[in-house]
């Protein structure tokens, strides 16, 4: 004989819309507490497929069903089971269905699922060469074409998905592929007024820079967008004089020669500096950095910095530049 929880889960598949609605609201309520989550986790084999089937219902049912799945997916074991049953495909299909009215929640579900390697691999569609990368391309397009000026920014959390994707080697290869031009599109979102978007962009750039040892050329191909995104957050607040800006590319010099909004979030400043460090570990990256007057910019930024962790990131770059200079000078003397 079915117990109360089994009966409740059974009602999620009821032919009666009213019964289904009451059942899904109760399940959503249960996912809001630790005890409720644990109770539902014991019935994951039935509750997860039942909730995922409700994602394509009308909003009064699909919204609480998605909220329940978002809460359940914070548990990594349950998230792994969702990925295994193909929920990323279901989510993407509904997300891009005309008239989708639960966009923000579906994006949040993808954020949680891509915390796992299996979730990133599923989103990258690695098992099918014909469509590989299509889901990520769609998300990047939505991230870059949707407005963040509204109070509600349903695609704003795509930045967090891209951070998760860029932790994966295959994900970085996709984002850095010059034919697709995805990283270039993503970087341009750094101008957004949304802190959420800025953090997503800076985290994604930083992760992609871990490929600088073998993808430096592809990173430098987009240097007109890359250097401003990395250097403006760590340039300090002063207005630069013409003597300094004349040694910079136009897009960087013009931004630094006027008053600008400071980047107050220390995490973004740290990530920008870590990305610069990864680039200048390579000789060609170091030369590119000098060519935009990067050391001078960091000198001014460091003078104004107060956060100890961010200061440590500046100092790490400073040590490498001094060391790199000595090495390059030594090799030039040897060759002459």
């Amino acid at each position: 004989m079915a117990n109360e929880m089994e009966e409740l889960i059974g009602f999620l598949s009821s032919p009666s819309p009213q019964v289904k609605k009451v059942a899904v609201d109760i399940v959503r309520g249960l996912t809001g507490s630790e005890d409720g989550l644990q109770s539902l986790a014991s019935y994951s084999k039935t509750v997860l497929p039942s909730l995922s089937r409700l994602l394509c219902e009308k909003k009064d049912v699909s919204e609480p069903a998605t909220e329940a799945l978002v809460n359940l997916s914070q548990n990594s074991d349950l998230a792994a089971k969702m990925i295994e049953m193909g929920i990323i495909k279901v989510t993407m299909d509904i997300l891009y269905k005309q008239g989708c009215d639960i966009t923000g929640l579906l994006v949040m579900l993808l954020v949680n699922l891509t915390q796992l390697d299996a979730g990133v691999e599923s989103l990258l569609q690695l098992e099918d060469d014909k469509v590989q990368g299509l889901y990520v391309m769609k998300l990047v397009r939505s991230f870059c074409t949707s407005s963040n000026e509204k109070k509600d920014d349903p695609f704003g959390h795509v930045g967090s998905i891209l951070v998760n994707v860029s932790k994966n080697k295959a994900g970085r290869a996709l984002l850095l592929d010059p034919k697709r031009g995805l990283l270039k599109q993503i970087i341009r979102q750094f101008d957004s007024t949304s802190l959420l978007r800025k953090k997503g962009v800076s985290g994604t750039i930083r992760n992609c820079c871990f490929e600088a040892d073998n993808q430096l050329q592809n990173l430098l191909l987009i240097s007109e967008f890359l250097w401003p995104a990395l250097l403006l957050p760590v340039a300090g607040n002063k207005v630069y004089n013409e003597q300094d800006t004349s040694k910079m590319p136009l897009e960087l010099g013009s931004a630094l020669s006027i008053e600008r909004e400071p980047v107050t979030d220390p995490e973004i400043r740290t990530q920008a500096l870590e990305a610069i460090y990864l680039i200048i570990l390579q000789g060609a990256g170091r030369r590119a950095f000098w060519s935009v007057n990067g050391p001078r910019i960091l000198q001014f930024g460091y003078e104004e910095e107060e956060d100890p962790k961010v200061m440590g990131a500046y100092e790490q770059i400073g040590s490498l530049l001094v060391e790199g200079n000595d090495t390059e000078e030594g090799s030039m003397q040897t060759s002459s």
Side-chain angles (χ1 to χ4, degrees):
M1 193 173 154
N3 63 27
E4 281 182 15
M5 188 62 82
E6 287 167 337
E7 278 188 354
L8 174 62
I9 294 166
F11 288 141
L12 292 173
S13 307
S14 168
S16 161
Q18 291 91 340
V19 171
K20 199 186 293 180
K21 164 77 177 138
V22 170
V24 76
D25 283 342
I26 293 170
V27 170
R28 173 182 54 183
L30 286 170
T31 64
S33 73
E34 198 53 48
D35 289 347
L37 280 170
Q38 283 180 353
S39 302
L40 287 165
S42 309
Y43 296 90
S44 59
K45 279 187 180 173
T46 50
V47 75
L48 296 179
S50 297
L51 286 169
S52 70
R53 280 193 291 270
L54 300 180
L55 295 183
C56 52
E57 297 265 345
K58 287 181 180 170
K59 189 179 179 183
D60 65 336
V61 168
S62 65
E63 187 173 66
T66 315
E67 285 175 359
L69 286 167
V70 168
N71 292 341
L72 289 163
S73 64
Q74 290 176 55
N75 175 309
S76 57
D77 292 337
L78 295 178
K81 286 175 183 173
M82 290 183 204
I83 294 159
E84 212 174 293
M85 60 183 240
I87 202 162
I88 284 182
K89 183 186 186 309
V90 173
T91 303
M92 287 297 294
D93 288 348
I94 294 164
L95 185 58
Y96 287 97
K97 214 174 177 181
Q98 202 169 358
C100 174
D101 48 14
I102 50 169
T103 301
L105 285 168
L106 292 173
V107 170
M108 282 303 303
L109 180 57
L110 290 172
V111 171
N112 289 352
L113 296 174
T114 54
Q115 305 266 359
L116 302 184
D117 287 343
V120 171
E121 285 162 15
S122 176
L123 189 70
L124 288 168
Q125 300 162 284
L126 295 179
E127 73 296 332
D128 190 343
D129 288 346
K130 288 177 189 169
V131 294
Q132 201 172 104
L134 184 63
Y135 286 164
V136 174
M137 287 171 73
K138 282 184 168 186
L139 288 168
V140 169
R141 187 181 59 205
S142 299
F143 182 60
C144 296
T145 56
S146 60
S147 169
N148 66 289
E149 302 308 318
K150 303 174 193 164
K151 195 177 175 187
D152 175 36
D153 180 15
F155 285 105
H157 281 283
V158 168
S160 306
I161 297 171
L162 295 172
V163 171
N164 293 341
V165 166
S166 61
K167 288 175 183 171
N168 177 289
K169 194 166 181 65
R172 292 193 293 273
L174 173 72
L175 295 175
L176 283 162
D177 182 351
K179 288 179 187 164
R180 300 191 194 237
L182 296 179
L183 188 61
K184 181 178 169 181
Q185 294 174 54
I186 294 162
I187 288 176
R188 292 161 97 162
Q189 281 297 301
F190 193 76
D191 293 336
S192 165
T193 53
S194 158
L195 182 62
L196 176 67
R197 283 174 175 254
K198 276 185 187 293
K199 278 185 147 170
V201 174
S202 68
T204 303
I205 297 171
R206 174 203 175 258
N207 290 346
C208 284
C209 287
F210 277 102
E211 295 297 317
D213 55 343
N214 56 28
Q215 292 254 27
L216 184 65
Q217 201 50 46
N218 288 335
L219 281 164
L220 295 180
L221 274 174
I222 53 170
S223 58
E224 67 178 291
F225 305 103
L226 182 67
W227 289 126
L230 294 180
L231 285 166
L232 291 176
V234 293
N237 299 325
K238 69 169 279 177
V239 173
Y240 285 51
N241 63 36
E242 199 180 333
Q243 190 183 348
D244 291 318
T245 58
S246 64
K247 297 168 189 163
M248 300 174 193
L250 185 64
E251 60 277 1
L252 200 52
S254 55
L256 290 171
S257 60
I258 55 171
E259 295 243 338
R260 56 199 179 278
E261 280 287 312
V263 175
T264 54
D265 190 289
E267 189 185 345
I268 292 176
R269 298 199 301 278
T270 304
Q271 287 177 334
L273 291 163
E274 287 172 349
I276 292 167
Y277 179 79
L278 291 165
I279 290 170
I280 66 171
L281 276 171
Q282 312 304 314
R286 204 151 48 244
R287 288 188 290 278
F289 184 63
W290 279 99
S291 76
V292 298
N293 210 7
R296 182 71 167 156
I297 294 170
L298 294 197
Q299 182 190 339
F300 287 136
Y302 181 68
E303 285 168 5
E304 292 180 18
E305 188 55 64
E306 293 176 356
D307 185 287
K309 189 182 175 189
V310 184
M311 287 174 83
Y314 276 106
E315 288 158 12
Q316 188 181 32
I317 291 173
S319 302
L320 182 59
L321 288 173
V322 172
E323 192 184 297
N325 253 10
D326 292 345
T327 309
E328 282 175 19
E329 279 173 23
S331 62
M332 282 164 71
Q333 284 165 7
T334 309
S335 61
S336 59

